[in-house]
Amino acid sequence: MNAAIRFLADLRFFSVGRDPNALFDERLTFGEKLADRVAAVGGSWGFIIGFGLFLGAWALLNTVVLAAHAFDPFPFIFLNLMLSMLAALQAPIIMMSQNRQAAKDRFEARLDYETNLRAEAQIDSLHHKIDLLTAEIARLSRVD
């Protein structure tokens, strides 16, 4: 429904100080919350450092520690397979989170627009009241 129509139809809809994040987060499903969490963890320095340490440990274990009996010798084929599978799953999850963030930004922009619409209507009302007061003052000064 158009914001102007909503404004004229139900002034109670526009409460002051609505938090767009809270309003948007109320509608998130479990899967969407999980996707946001995966994107937050996967895009953090903690994940990057931890994963770098894991990769270093994997390489060290399979080249130095287990040397002749390594379960994944030097070209690390199994590790590459696991990394490819992780990337194949993680990339769409991060994209879902980014799409949701874009929707959240559009929602926030819509609320900003509605706030501006309310402010404009209130300013117009104040202009009308001031015009009435000015006319009344002019009328009273002509009477005297």
Side-chain angles (χ1 to χ4, degrees):
M1 184 183 261
N2 188 314
I5 294 170
R6 265 201 319 252
F7 176 71
L8 296 173
D10 187 8
L11 292 176
R12 291 171 295 137
F13 177 78
F14 297 101
S15 61
V16 177
R18 292 180 302 163
D19 180 14
N21 293 320
L23 291 173
F24 192 83
D25 290 345
E26 287 174 0
R27 296 185 261 161
L28 291 180
T29 65
F30 173 74
E32 291 169 336
K33 290 177 185 177
L34 181 62
D36 287 344
R37 189 68 190 133
V38 167
V41 170
S44 68
W45 278 110
F47 177 80
I48 293 169
I49 292 169
F51 209 66
L53 292 173
F54 170 77
L55 294 175
W58 184 282
L60 186 67
L61 179 69
N62 282 291
T63 55
V64 177
V65 176
L66 297 177
H69 303 300
F71 59 90
D72 189 20
F74 169 62
F76 307 122
I77 303 296
F78 183 65
L79 177 63
N80 282 316
L81 174 66
M82 292 298 116
L83 292 175
S84 296
M85 289 172 40
L86 176 67
L89 291 174
Q90 192 177 24
I93 291 172
I94 290 172
M95 288 173 54
M96 287 182 341
S97 181
Q98 289 174 338
N99 289 339
R100 197 168 17 273
Q101 184 61 46
K104 187 185 235 182
D105 292 342
R106 285 190 302 275
F107 181 71
E108 188 171 350
R110 184 63 179 202
L111 289 179
D112 288 345
Y113 169 74
E114 291 172 359
T115 299
N116 292 340
L117 185 65
R118 283 193 318 279
E120 185 177 347
Q122 290 172 350
I123 289 170
D124 284 344
S125 173
L126 288 173
H127 276 294
H128 180 69
K129 289 176 184 178
I130 289 174
D131 290 343
L132 290 175
L133 285 173
T134 304
E136 183 65 22
I137 291 171
R139 188 186 66 78
L140 288 174
S141 30
R142 275 184 270 134
V143 171
D144 292 337

